Amino acid sequence: MSDTLQISEIPVDGYERVVRGVDPASGLHAIVAVHDTTLGPALGGLRMWNYGSEEEALFDVKRLSKGMTYKSAVAHTGLGGGKAVILGDAKTIKSEALYLAVGRLVDSLDGLYTTAEDVNTTIADLNIVRRATKYVSGLAREDGGSGNPSPYTAYGVFLGVRAALGQAYDNDDPNGRTIAIQGVGAVGGALAERLAKAGAKVFAADRDRDRLEALQKEFGIVPVAEDEILTMECDLLAPCALGGVLNDETIPALRTKVVAGAANNVLLKSEHGAMLRDRGILYAPDYVINAGGIINVSVEFHEGGYDEAAALRKIERIPQALKELWTIAHEEGIPTSEAADHLAERILAEGRARKG
Ligand code: NAD
């Protein structure tokens, strides 16, 4: 079968490379955005989404790849930021031929971008992609990868929660603290377990009643209704489900002094960072506190390959990164979310200066 994959460049200001891959034989229509490789090759997941148009997909892949650059910069992963999106309905368009074409598209970038799991992409899908390119990360341990990132994300969030408690209450011990967790899935569930074991009083909400009940039985987690979790009185709120949950409606109703959780893009808009600050609520920026997973994957790129101890050592630096940016926020009089962006930009500028 002849290769029908057509690759074309999409020039985008401020992005190193953006390429479109269209393969009529398999129905692939994808975009890969390499935002910045100053600090290393770009790493970011492969998302499949039923976008309304290519313009919408381009907007998303640009936003996500830039986010990866910033996240990796602050986490010192030694990697840059990139992302790939496939346009289409995950229920109908998935096929072996499509993922092989994705692999050829990724391979055409010669290592500038390495792909990984993301929304609607499974390890099984990545195992097909890797037949066409070696630039795939986050595979199972038995396949030489770093495995499921969620427990590492949860560990980093747990350490970040402790740091946030220390910052807000001068005592980082979760023992006796009331913590509300929205979403006890892969990350939130592991966080709930760690916090309960550390003596915290953990309250949680989740769509999945069975999961909540299991956590209640095993660790004494107290189930709370979905519409009450964000606004219950607590020492710390950990959003671990959806993005955009901190917004004009919820922020005025919060009854906590600290927000620190795993959910990505938890602020609906950047100005909501300032709203939190104005209410005197300490915020641990999402992409800093939830970097444990990307840190774990990034260790695959180390000489000698994946090494869990090295990953854990790096994850244990998350509290330090948070403290650094809380200091920046205080000194510059800016919201902590903005301080995170400033820190990332500073690290990138230093990287560019080193490269000359
Ligand atoms: P998950 O799908 O395993 O868990 C999400 C949980 O939230 C599910 O149990 C779901 O039932 C629940 N949920 C959905 N809507 C809800 C609602 N309205 N109220 C209460 N619960 C609700 O996902 P995850 O991997 O645990 O990720 C959680 C968040 O952390 C996501 O925002 C994700 O982007 C972010 N994150 C995850 C990782 C990782 O390593 N998995 C890394 C970085 C960031």
Side-chain angles (χ1 to χ4, degrees):
M1 196 179 78
S2 66
D3 188 357
T4 60
L5 176 65
Q6 297 144 21
I7 300 173
S8 49
E9 299 284 332
I10 307 176
V12 180
D13 273 355
Y15 288 71
E16 278 182 32
R17 290 277 298 275
V18 181
V19 293
R20 174 197 294 110
V22 174
D23 178 45
S26 65
L28 177 73
H29 183 181
I31 305 174
V32 180
V34 175
H35 172 250
D36 192 295
T37 62
T38 303
L39 302 172
L43 176 71
L46 170 65
R47 176 167 295 196
M48 184 179 276
W49 198 253
N50 208 359
Y51 296 104
S53 63
E54 191 188 69
E55 200 184 358
E56 220 181 85
L58 182 60
F59 180 83
D60 206 32
V61 78
K62 276 165 44 186
R63 174 180 74 88
L64 293 165
S65 60
K66 187 172 176 184
M68 290 307 298
T69 299
Y70 280 41
K71 182 171 187 158
S72 251
V74 175
H76 295 283
T77 62
L79 296 172
K83 201 86 184 182
V85 296
I86 301 173
L87 290 81
D89 185 346
K91 287 193 217 79
T92 55
I93 69 158
K94 284 193 175 196
S95 71
E96 185 180 24
L98 181 126
Y99 282 111
L100 288 172
V102 171
R104 294 197 296 280
L105 176 62
V106 170
D107 208 58
S108 75
L109 290 165
D110 254 338
L112 200 63
Y113 166 70
T114 294
T115 199
E117 245 185 292
D118 200 77
V119 177
N120 287 325
T121 301
T122 64
I123 293 287
D125 300 331
L126 289 183
N127 274 322
I128 305 174
V129 175
R130 79 193 284 232
R131 283 162 42 201
T133 182
K134 62 179 178 182
Y135 300 111
V136 178
S137 64
L139 295 170
R141 287 275 164 87
E142 56 271 28
D143 292 319
S146 54
N148 179 5
S150 304
Y152 299 91
T153 303
Y155 179 46
V157 174
F158 173 70
L159 298 176
V161 161
R162 289 195 66 130
L165 289 173
Q167 183 79 12
Y169 303 108
D170 285 331
N171 179 357
D172 70 357
D173 189 353
N175 190 20
R177 292 281 171 207
T178 305
I179 314 262
I181 306 182
Q182 183 188 43
V184 280
V187 179
L191 175 68
E193 177 182 342
R194 282 185 180 275
L195 286 167
K197 285 181 172 163
K201 289 175 263 174
V202 182
F203 295 78
D206 200 294
R207 297 248 141 118
D208 183 341
R209 299 293 310 171
D210 295 343
R211 191 148 172 85
L212 264 185
E213 269 169 35
L215 287 166
Q216 183 180 21
K217 263 200 199 119
E218 217 171 334
F219 307 111
I221 275 99
V222 184
V224 173
E226 248 180 64
D227 58 353
E228 286 172 16
I229 193 79
L230 289 176
T231 53
M232 70 170 274
E233 193 170 348
C234 58
D235 292 318
L236 182 144
L237 169 68
C240 295
L242 317 162
V245 297
L246 298 181
N247 52 47
D248 289 344
E249 279 77 52
T250 57
I251 294 174
L254 295 178
R255 286 191 293 157
T256 185
K257 275 185 170 178
V258 189
V259 176
N264 273 318
N265 303 316
V266 74
L267 304 178
L268 183 63
K269 293 183 187 157
S270 57
E271 57 261 35
H272 290 121
M275 243 174 121
L276 286 174
R277 176 202 55 190
D278 294 346
R279 279 215 51 205
I281 296 171
L282 180 74
Y283 171 61
D286 48 7
Y287 69 77
V288 182
I289 190 170
N290 73 18
I294 183 90
I295 291 172
N296 192 54
V297 176
S298 73
V299 173
E300 288 183 20
F301 290 74
H302 288 192
E303 245 181 70
Y306 180 69
D307 167 14
E308 187 183 41
L312 294 176
R313 277 197 303 277
K314 278 199 128 171
I315 292 168
E316 282 158 11
R317 289 190 214 143
I318 287 176
Q320 189 49 41
L322 288 170
K323 285 178 202 160
E324 213 179 316
L325 63 90
W326 288 324
T327 305
I328 296 175
H330 180 72
E331 284 173 0
E332 297 182 14
I334 54 175
T336 56
S337 47
E338 211 176 306
D341 292 349
H342 286 199
L343 180 60
E345 279 151 16
R346 200 173 75 199
I347 292 167
L348 283 164
E350 286 165 4
R352 284 189 199 107
R354 269 198 309 278
K355 276 188 147 179

